[in-house]
Amino acid sequence: MRDQRPLKKSETVEIRLPHATKTAFMEQCRLEGRTASEAIRRFIDSELERQYGRPASPLTGWRQLVAAAAAGLALGAIAAPSLAQSVTPARAAFDRLDRDHDGLVSFSEFRAR
């Protein structure tokens, strides 16, 4: 009998996370010598097993909790670059309005724009 080939990985999942969470997750994966995708797949497998009785993941107990946290961080990584880019232009626009750089925009500063 031939060995069964693993299923092709063709689907993606996107979530939003704080940058710090993503960074911590990626570092944890690096320290454990695995990819973020691997950690997230293990978490999903363990959830399916818990809910529907699918075959167990090799992770148990506290490792499942760590895998879940890591999965959340990894999936949030996608949002971090867009969040960082959106903050910088807003600050620059505010600084242009705040001509005396006191952290407040007066009506006269607003009108002078």
Side-chain angles (χ1 to χ4, degrees):
M1 226 165 121
R2 293 180 66 188
D3 289 333
Q4 233 181 349
R5 287 186 177 182
L7 294 175
K8 184 177 180 182
K9 297 170 190 98
S10 62
E11 302 301 314
T12 61
V13 175
E14 182 177 334
I15 66 163
R16 294 182 180 272
L17 292 173
H19 178 73
T21 304
K22 177 219 171 197
T23 303
F25 173 67
M26 299 302 287
E27 177 63 15
Q28 184 64 36
C29 287
R30 187 188 68 74
L31 291 173
E32 293 176 2
R34 62 183 175 158
T35 66
S37 293
E38 188 178 359
I40 294 165
R41 280 192 296 271
R42 285 184 181 180
F43 169 72
I44 291 170
D45 286 344
S46 68
E47 284 297 301
L48 291 173
E49 177 193 359
R50 186 177 62 81
Q51 289 287 331
Y52 305 107
R54 283 195 45 199
S57 165
L59 302 178
T60 57
W62 66 271
R63 292 180 139 194
Q64 287 179 336
L65 182 59
V66 171
L73 291 173
L75 293 174
I78 296 169
S82 62
L83 291 173
Q85 290 174 356
S86 67
V87 172
T88 305
R91 182 62 191 194
F94 178 83
D95 289 342
R96 282 193 300 275
L97 291 172
D98 185 21
R99 295 178 183 263
D100 61 4
H101 305 290
D102 64 351
L104 301 171
V105 176
S106 67
F107 184 67
S108 60
E109 288 173 319
F110 177 76
R111 280 185 35 199
R113 61 184 168 118

